Amino acid sequence: MADIEKVVEGGPRGGRGPGRGGRRGRPPGDRNDFSGGQDGGQDLVEKVVFINRSTKVVKGGRRFNFSALVVCGDRRGSVGLGMGKAGEVADAIKKGGEMARRNMVKVAVKESTIPHEVYTCYGGAKVLLRPASPGTGVIAGKTVRAVLESVGIKDILSKSLGSKNAANVVKATLKGLLQLRLAEDIYASRGLVYQKKAEAPAAPAAAADTTITA
């Protein structure tokens, strides 16, 4: 798997001295992020979550096949998941991205977090998601983080409690996000009118002490 990690990270490191100039390629940042506006003018972001290599031994030698797990989202509440398989890493990522764009679904998001807590299981993977106050950030592992950031969630607490299989963890996270429901939608499904709670009036400021002492 060492050679696969080198491909995902942008090629093998080293081999050039300091006098040959800087490395060419994508700017610093998340090397597994690919953004573009090819799908209906939307600014979609693709994240490569995991790349697996399988080997088949044949009479003439060994044949390698690659599978890439890709998450695609618009960071405005939509996300999709795709698994691409091909004989080359680039082709597998491309197929996975196309499949993820076709499978995009809408997720209920409340401002920068989720409306309520959710706990889901998929296979051996178990994922717990909890809403967080503004400024908390995305508290999650790299697998769960890829899905949450693609959706556009900025403040959330999460914990992966079961299997570490990347495919199952991603599917468990997506399953949990699809179970989220806003209060407005719940009231509407019951034929009721949702009324937001009135904010409590601010406490009056303490009067300034104007007593003059002799």
Side-chain angles (χ1 to χ4, degrees):
M1 295 297 295
D3 53 343
I4 305 304
E5 296 175 357
K6 291 179 180 179
V7 173
V8 176
E9 293 295 332
R13 300 181 179 179
R16 289 189 178 183
R20 298 292 295 276
R23 294 175 59 190
R24 293 177 295 178
R26 292 192 298 270
D30 192 347
R31 296 178 182 271
N32 294 342
D33 288 4
F34 307 94
S35 60
Q38 301 175 358
D39 193 351
Q42 297 180 351
D43 186 14
L44 301 179
V45 177
E46 293 182 4
K47 292 181 177 289
V48 180
V49 180
F50 180 73
I51 294 179
N52 184 49
R53 183 186 71 176
S54 60
T55 306
K56 179 180 180 181
V57 180
V58 295
K59 185 177 180 180
R62 293 184 298 175
R63 293 181 181 178
F64 298 101
N65 193 36
F66 302 92
S67 60
L69 183 63
V70 182
V71 175
C72 181
D74 60 358
R75 294 181 177 175
R76 290 188 293 272
S78 296
V79 65
L81 172 65
M83 173 76 79
K85 298 180 180 181
E88 298 292 338
V89 176
D91 295 337
I93 295 175
K94 182 179 179 181
K95 288 183 179 180
E98 293 174 353
M99 186 180 299
R101 286 193 292 270
R102 290 197 304 266
N103 298 333
M104 290 187 67
V105 292
K106 195 69 176 177
V107 175
V109 179
K110 183 179 180 182
E111 296 178 356
S112 63
T113 185
I114 57 178
H116 57 83
E117 179 180 323
V118 63
Y119 174 79
T120 55
C121 303
Y122 188 96
K126 304 174 184 179
V127 175
L128 173 65
L129 303 176
R130 286 182 177 177
S133 57
T136 302
V138 179
I139 309 301
K142 62 179 182 180
T143 306
V144 179
R145 178 186 296 270
V147 181
L148 300 178
E149 290 182 347
S150 298
V151 174
I153 298 174
K154 299 179 180 178
D155 302 299
I156 192 171
L157 303 173
S158 70
K159 182 66 177 178
S160 179
L161 302 171
S163 170
K164 303 302 181 183
N165 182 277
N168 286 347
V169 172
V170 168
K171 292 177 182 178
T173 306
L174 185 58
K175 180 180 177 182
L177 293 176
L178 293 177
Q179 293 179 2
L180 297 175
R181 301 178 65 189
L182 296 173
E184 296 88 337
D185 299 335
I186 298 176
Y187 272 72
S189 64
R190 300 177 181 176
L192 303 176
V193 178
Y194 175 72
Q195 296 180 353
K196 294 185 178 181
K197 295 182 180 179
E199 297 182 0
D209 188 3
T210 58
T211 305
I212 301 177
T213 57

